[in-house]
Amino acid sequence: MTKPVLDHMGETKLALGPLGDRPGAAEGDDWLSGIDETGIAWLALDRQGHSVNTISQSVLRGLADHLDRFEQDMPKAVVIRSAKMTGFAAGADITALGDMSDEGAADLLKQGHDVLDRLAALDCPTICVTHGAALGAGFELALACDWRIAVEGASFGFPEVKLGLHPGLGGSFRLPALIDPTEAMTLMLTGKSAHTAKAKSLGIADVVCPERHVAAAIAAIVAGDVRRDGAGLVSHAFKLGPARAFAARKMRARTAEQAPPEQYPAPYALIDLWEEHGDDPGAMQQAEIASFAHLLTSETSRNLRRVFFLRQGLKDKARGDDGIAHVHVVGAGSMGGEIAAWAALKGKSVTLGDVESDPLAAAMKRAREICGDKHLNRAETRDVLDRLVPDPQGYGIERADLVIEAAPEQLELKRRIFADLGVRMKPDAILASNTSSLPLTELADQVTRPDHFAGLHFFNPVSRLELVEVVAHAGTAKPVMDRLAAFCGAIDRLPVRLRDYPGFLVNRALTPYLMEAMVLMDEGIAKDVIDRAAIDFGMPMGPVALADQVGLDICLHVSESLKANLDKPMPDISAALREKVEAGETGKKAGRGFYDWSEGTPHPEPRAEGPDGLADRLILPMLDACVECLRKDVVGDPDEVDAALVFATGFAPFRGGPMHYARSRGLSEVASKLSELAERHGPRFTPDAGWSGFG
Ligand code: NAD
């Protein structure tokens, strides 16, 4: 659901100059336009039929028509802004990029560049006013203006690298010309956004003000009362080739720590462009167009755009009214505390219960930290903390529309909690459990209203991992599943609907991967070698480090539970894992597991070479489990599997998800590789019967 960013800030009206009552929008026209009494022309972007602005071909064509007019009859100044409360513009309309050829894309880009060049060359001050996000092509539109006014809360960024691309509408030369080029490159290479204060200090925004002062800020710029510092000495230094070559080497090394070039070529292409043409904007422009068009047809970009659409797909399934105003969370531990904080941050009224007071205090502290991470200002943070109420007595249970149980993973304890909730909850309220490994069917026997009971399985940390498994047991009512999916949408998480199954989908798929890593260690292969193989495949961290991060006690518990409940052979539980848990070395939370975490996140040796086929031995069982879940109708379709594994585990996004990877490698090829592994290492690798039926 798209929220109006200004409403959040207590301002409910945009300053739209002469467009106050929004006249002049012709049918199908994306721009509202008008001239105010002082001779300033206003253009407000309002893509019809879209809740959020994107920059499409028609938007640029419409802008070109207005530029025709201005070039004939120059206004005193031009103000460009968005007429949508949801923000400025979310970037290019990537649906239009589709399966475009190199040449087709280059032609389209040239037309776009032409329009922005004309805007940049206009012989009057051009002022872009942004509120909310100005991303990608939206940011490039803002950069083509002379001045930028950022309404408090605005942010600017180039997320193109996340789609296997780099800026393509002039960002690669306009931003480094405006601010310190190394800061510009960092923004473009990381895909991170610069929020208001940072945007001001970097020199992206000339003025920062609340919405109600926008008109005054425009008047000050037009009157020549606003000064800007140039990018200064740093910019000049990078006009020299050797300085750029030196900086480019450092950028490549830093980028390689996050994304190897063979998997993610876009950032390296951008560094090459800058190193080669950083002193010549004209050459940079031509090179940017050619490079963008080339990247667009790369496998990586196609797969990353696929992941973007998978996210959209899950969001679309999260629409609707959840009917949930008040949430009560039982258990303020690592999961319950974050779930409660996150729901409050997204506008829900939340009470949080626990039998201990320390977890409640820790949860409030964590909530404040999450507000900081999400760039909330002091007033917004105060509002979030007001909505999150520690409630040791559980007074909120009677009022809650949804109760989320996040108590320790013990059946008997959960049973007692459900019995208490049963007599206190409103009759039509929903009860959801965050259990990772207890069968919902068994839990459903313990609740008062099984039809209003389901699993709501969040991932750790909730504020970073977007996926939520919404799990039905045989008796869950469909409208309850709809409301839970809508609840996930309302709190900006991505729901995937599942049927109850051991490990649901994600843990079912992930557990054989983690367990195989332990078996490999038992066979004498070093943990660095194992983790390196997974990272080289594209996983964000290796399975041994991941097991440490999840908690070895939790891994052991989930492994035992899956081994007991699945009708398929699983790897033996590693002796080393048991020993670690018995010794209290449970991973990151204990400071030590298989790795030593006392000095921060461990990094496996970069040159740790393993035996041939090591990655297959880790990854293919994960794919096989996904196929099993599809065959057993645990999950709706292969796209949902891909989305779930990417958004919950970070499964190599440039491969487009596990099922997409299996398809591109060849389903029969994968199945026969599994058979080969089964011959060598045992029946746990025997391919699932579903491989022949899925395609
Ligand atoms: P935790 O031990 O960190 O927190 C549990 C909290 O519940 C503790 O603060 C404890 O004091 C409190 N509690 C105990 N009895 C209670 C009672 N009767 N009433 C209210 N509170 C009570 O555990 P956690 O890691 O947050 O896990 C909670 C649930 O979430 C478990 O079902 C677990 O399987 C599941 N889960 C955990 C993770 C994870 O990575 N930790 C991920 C997904 C799901």
Side-chain angles (χ1 to χ4, degrees):
M1 212 136 303
T2 318
K3 297 183 181 71
V5 292
L6 281 184
D7 265 358
H8 279 289
M9 310 187 67
E11 305 216 44
T12 51
K13 210 165 177 306
L14 292 165
L16 286 172
L19 312 171
D21 51 358
R22 297 189 172 201
E27 185 67 25
D29 195 350
D30 296 315
W31 293 94
L32 309 172
S33 68
I35 299 252
D36 69 17
E37 64 284 359
T38 67
I40 297 175
W42 287 66
L43 288 179
L45 182 58
D46 193 6
R47 272 203 81 185
Q48 302 206 350
H50 297 258
S51 59
V52 173
N53 283 326
T54 49
I55 308 295
S56 65
Q57 216 181 345
S58 82
V59 166
L60 290 167
R61 248 197 320 260
L63 178 58
D65 290 344
H66 290 291
L67 292 173
D68 287 344
R69 257 187 326 116
F70 299 154
E71 284 161 354
Q72 295 301 315
D73 183 9
M74 195 63 64
K76 186 170 171 190
V78 174
V79 172
I80 292 186
R81 72 169 314 183
S82 154
K84 290 195 194 293
M85 295 294 274
T86 49
F88 184 65
D93 181 356
I94 69 160
T95 46
L97 300 175
D99 282 329
M100 224 174 241
S101 67
D102 273 37
E103 298 80 28
D107 277 352
L108 197 66
L109 288 168
K110 278 184 197 131
Q111 292 166 26
H113 275 258
D114 212 43
V115 178
L116 293 196
D117 285 353
R118 284 174 60 200
L119 173 64
L122 220 54
D123 208 7
C124 69
T126 48
I127 303 162
C128 188
V129 180
T130 70
H131 62 276
L135 298 176
F139 188 8
E140 286 166 312
L141 171 59
L143 286 171
C145 294
D146 301 324
W147 301 90
R148 277 151 300 280
I149 298 173
V151 174
E152 281 169 0
S155 61
F156 300 84
F158 281 122
E160 283 85 345
V161 281
K162 295 178 188 163
L163 299 176
L165 301 167
H166 55 58
L169 263 185
S172 73
F173 60 91
R174 288 210 170 91
L175 188 61
L178 180 71
I179 66 171
D180 174 345
T182 55
E183 296 281 5
M185 288 298 284
T186 303
L187 273 185
M188 293 189 277
L189 291 172
T190 59
K192 288 189 181 151
S193 285
H195 289 262
T196 324
K198 177 97 191 272
K200 177 79 171 80
S201 69
L202 288 176
I204 294 169
D206 300 293
V207 178
V208 171
C209 65
E211 180 62 37
R212 61 188 175 282
H213 293 164
V214 163
I218 292 170
I221 289 174
V222 175
D225 291 342
V226 177
R227 301 256 163 270
R228 155 192 310 150
D229 300 330
L233 275 180
V234 194
S235 249
H236 284 290
F238 287 113
K239 290 210 159 48
L240 303 171
R244 284 201 308 282
F246 178 73
R249 256 199 310 280
K250 285 211 320 212
M251 287 174 197
R252 283 190 194 98
R254 216 169 311 132
T255 306
E257 285 167 18
Q258 305 293 325
E262 55 286 359
Q263 294 175 355
Y264 295 95
Y268 300 90
L270 179 66
I271 299 170
D272 291 348
L273 286 186
W274 180 69
E275 183 179 1
E276 215 167 310
H277 306 293
D279 54 349
D280 181 349
M284 185 75 154
Q285 185 167 27
Q286 298 313 315
E288 181 198 86
I289 293 172
S291 172
F292 184 97
H294 175 68
L295 288 169
L296 198 60
T297 58
S298 68
E299 198 58 25
T300 292
S301 177
R302 282 186 205 284
N303 285 343
L304 291 175
R305 281 180 279 144
R306 169 182 163 71
V307 168
F308 176 89
F309 290 118
L310 290 176
R311 172 185 273 111
Q312 285 306 119
L314 292 190
K315 277 190 179 169
D316 289 345
K317 290 177 188 160
R319 293 192 198 288
D321 182 9
D322 62 0
I324 292 164
H326 184 114
V327 183
H328 182 84
V329 180
V330 180
S334 42
M335 292 306 290
E338 276 228 6
I339 294 169
W342 187 255
L345 190 139
K346 293 293 168 183
K348 299 292 180 191
S349 172
V350 183
T351 42
L352 175 61
D354 203 293
V355 286
E356 307 278 339
S357 54
D358 286 357
L360 287 170
M364 296 308 285
K365 184 164 172 265
R366 181 76 192 113
R368 189 179 283 279
E369 280 165 13
I370 297 174
C371 291
D373 293 347
K374 299 295 164 194
H375 305 281
L376 266 56
N377 64 28
R378 208 180 302 165
E380 290 164 331
T381 303
R382 190 200 54 220
D383 288 349
V384 172
L385 298 178
D386 281 353
R387 283 194 293 269
L388 175 58
V389 179
D391 180 16
Q393 308 300 330
Y395 294 127
I397 296 169
E398 280 89 5
R399 275 181 290 135
D401 305 300
L402 167 66
V403 175
I404 301 174
E405 171 276 312
E409 193 75 331
Q410 298 155 20
L411 184 60
E412 199 38 53
L413 172 67
K414 292 197 194 261
R415 186 175 287 163
R416 282 204 307 275
I417 292 173
F418 291 163
D420 175 52
L421 291 172
V423 290
R424 297 172 72 185
M425 280 169 64
K426 289 196 292 196
D428 58 345
I430 300 174
L431 172 59
S433 174
N434 188 45
T435 181
S436 305
S437 60
L438 299 172
L440 283 183
T441 316
E442 240 169 85
L443 291 177
D445 289 344
Q446 317 298 323
V447 305
T448 312
R449 284 204 63 179
D451 60 332
H452 274 50
F453 173 70
L456 201 58
H457 186 228
F458 288 84
F459 292 84
N460 191 6
V462 178
S463 55
R464 202 164 52 75
L465 293 177
E466 293 171 272
L467 195 84
V468 182
E469 292 179 315
V470 183
V471 192
H473 66 93
T476 310
K478 161 106 176 27
V480 167
M481 291 295 283
D482 292 342
R483 284 178 63 196
L484 287 174
F487 169 72
C488 293
I491 62 165
D492 213 7
R493 299 291 81 174
L494 301 171
V496 60
R497 292 179 196 223
L498 304 175
R499 204 171 60 75
D500 188 18
Y501 193 64
F504 309 138
L505 170 66
V506 172
N507 282 342
R508 169 65 191 98
L510 209 54
T511 306
Y513 164 75
L514 299 181
M515 289 177 82
E516 197 61 31
M518 314 272 160
V519 173
L520 283 161
M521 276 197 294
D522 284 352
E523 286 175 14
I525 298 180
K527 60 181 185 307
D528 294 69
V529 171
I530 298 164
D531 278 358
R532 178 50 55 192
I535 292 168
D536 287 349
F537 175 81
M539 303 303 278
M541 66 167 36
V544 183
L546 179 62
D548 263 1
Q549 180 156 305
V550 168
L552 297 183
D553 50 341
I554 295 180
C555 288
L556 179 60
H557 184 72
V558 174
S559 304
E560 283 173 335
S561 154
L562 284 198
K563 226 172 145 50
N565 292 313
L566 280 171
D567 56 6
K568 271 199 153 182
M570 293 285 279
D572 285 334
I573 292 183
S574 137
L577 175 62
R578 283 194 196 286
E579 278 164 27
K580 287 276 169 200
V581 174
E582 274 158 28
E585 294 181 2
T586 50
K588 185 178 177 181
K589 60 189 169 192
R592 176 176 279 280
F594 288 109
Y595 285 96
D596 180 0
W597 291 76
S598 55
E599 312 259 298
T601 304
H603 294 285
E605 284 292 317
R607 304 244 164 272
E609 291 257 331
D612 279 355
L614 188 53
D616 273 354
R617 212 176 135 180
L618 293 166
I619 302 292
L620 299 196
M622 199 183 322
L623 270 47
D624 193 62
C626 292
V627 169
E628 173 192 313
C629 287
L630 280 164
R631 176 174 59 84
K632 296 202 163 185
D633 291 327
V634 175
V635 55
D637 62 46
D639 279 357
E640 287 187 335
V641 173
D642 282 347
L645 271 287
V646 170
F647 299 125
T649 73
F651 183 98
F654 77 99
R655 297 192 190 273
M659 294 297 91
H660 187 71
Y661 169 65
R663 264 202 225 98
S664 53
R665 197 167 151 176
L667 301 180
S668 54
E669 208 275 325
V670 176
S672 65
K673 193 83 209 168
L674 279 162
S675 299
E676 243 174 66
L677 286 166
E679 263 169 46
R680 284 177 55 192
H681 302 290
R684 64 183 184 277
F685 288 99
T686 306
D688 188 83
W691 283 100
S692 52
F694 141 76

